[in-house]
Every structure is written in C-alpha cells, then in structure tokens.
Amino acid sequence: METALTPRRQPRDFTPALPLLGIYDFTIATLTRERVWRSALLRQLNPQPGETIADLGCGTASFLALVGRQAGGARLVGVDPDARILERARRKLAAAGVAARLDEGYLRDASRLLVGTGTTKIVSSLVFHQTPMTEKRAGLAAILAALPPGGELHVADYGLQRSRLMRTLFRLVQLADGHENTQPAADGVLPDLMREAGFEAVEERAVIPTLTGSISLYRAVRPS
C-alpha cells in the first residue's frame, strides 16, 4: 500500500499512464474518443450538488474537472497511485477552478482512503482493464466496502470486444498494458466480478467503439 506518506516502491507496481506525460491527454483523447465516452459517463453518473463523488484512478483529473463544473457543490475525491500524474491533476483542477481532494493509492485502498468522506458514488475510467485479476477483485471488494447501502459504482473501461475488428484494435492496448491483465477485460469479465464482489443491479449501459477497441459503460449498486 503506497500513499503520499510512505516510501515509494521501486520499481512501480502499477502500469504508468504513459512514459511521456506531456502527450497523455492528447493520446487518450485521440485514440479512445474520450469526449464521447466521458460525456456519456457524466450523464450516467448524474452528479448533484452536495454529493461526495470519488474517482479511482483519476489520472490527470480530466473527469473530475467535468464533474466539478457540472455539479459545483459536489465534494470530489481523486485517487491515483502515480504521484507524477497527481501533480498534473492538481494543476489542471486549479486551472479549471475545481476543488478536489487528491490521494495517492490503489483501487484496493478505496475503503481506507474514503472512510468518513460520505462518498455515495464512485467512478473509475480505463483502470480495471490493466490491473491483475487479484487487483480487480480486491478493488471491487474495497469499493463495495467504501459505499453505503444504495451507493453506486460507475465504470468506463474496455469490456467485451464483440467483433473481430474491435478485438484487433484492442491489441494496441494489450501491447501497451500487457496481455495477461487485459485479456479478461476483453472477454467481458468485469460484470461477473462485480456480482461476485456483492454488487447488484449490474448492467452494461453503453458500448462505444474506438480506435483501440470498444469501451463499455457499467453501473452497479451496493445492496440495501
């Protein structure tokens, strides 16, 4: 478990966003049709003033900035294991005039980092597909523990690649993030893992084709 207060592991035990941070946002926007799926995810999340919303694997805080602009009274928390990315996120949020608490941590740290925050919605984008199965399961268990009854999980990530074209395009992601961790996502494992963790009302709300494979939008609820 790595936080801002503990020594950093060497080497990193996570997949870095991109070796060249200066092109991170441009690359994501170009290859994933970011504007399309982020807009759809924002509508699905439906953030409201007064809510506390956490973004796990927040990256450079592009989505947190969108949430903050739409729901100005929402309390926002961003979590990411990469300290370099979080510094970029702080600058982006400051430029957008959006306030958010940023913590260094992993999916599996959700219950610890979010305790006492009153978080009722958790969102994650393009994170689960690149994590090992053990982290997928640990992350979902921690998210379930962090949410109150009726709390919502919203995920935008590479899901089941339904066509030969999408499977072929997804190989670009696998070249960058590794085959072992990403193949379960391409096989459509995430909804089953959500149910296995204890979520209910698990559904795939949208499938968006991109130049790197299809991105699915999922929603799940912690049982009352």
Side-chain angles (χ1 to χ4, degrees), residues 17-18 20-29 34 38 55-66 69 78-96 98 100 102 125 127:
L18 276 177
L20 300 175
L21 288 179
I23 64 170
Y24 175 79
D25 289 338
F26 174 79
T27 303
I28 294 299
E34 180 184 34
R38 284 204 193 279
D55 187 349
L56 303 184
C58 65
T60 62
S62 296
F63 191 69
L64 278 176
L66 287 177
R69 284 195 291 265
V79 177
D80 199 278
D82 195 331
R84 305 168 308 151
I85 285 283
L86 289 178
E87 285 304 314
R88 191 175 181 88
R90 289 186 180 94
R91 294 194 296 270
K92 181 181 290 187
L93 291 171
V98 172
L102 298 179
S125 307
V127 176

Side-chain angles (χ1 to χ4, degrees), residues 18 42 80 105 117 137 170 189 207 216:
L18 276 177
L42 187 64
D80 199 278
T117 63
R137 287 191 167 96
F170 187 66
V189 74
V207 179
S216 296

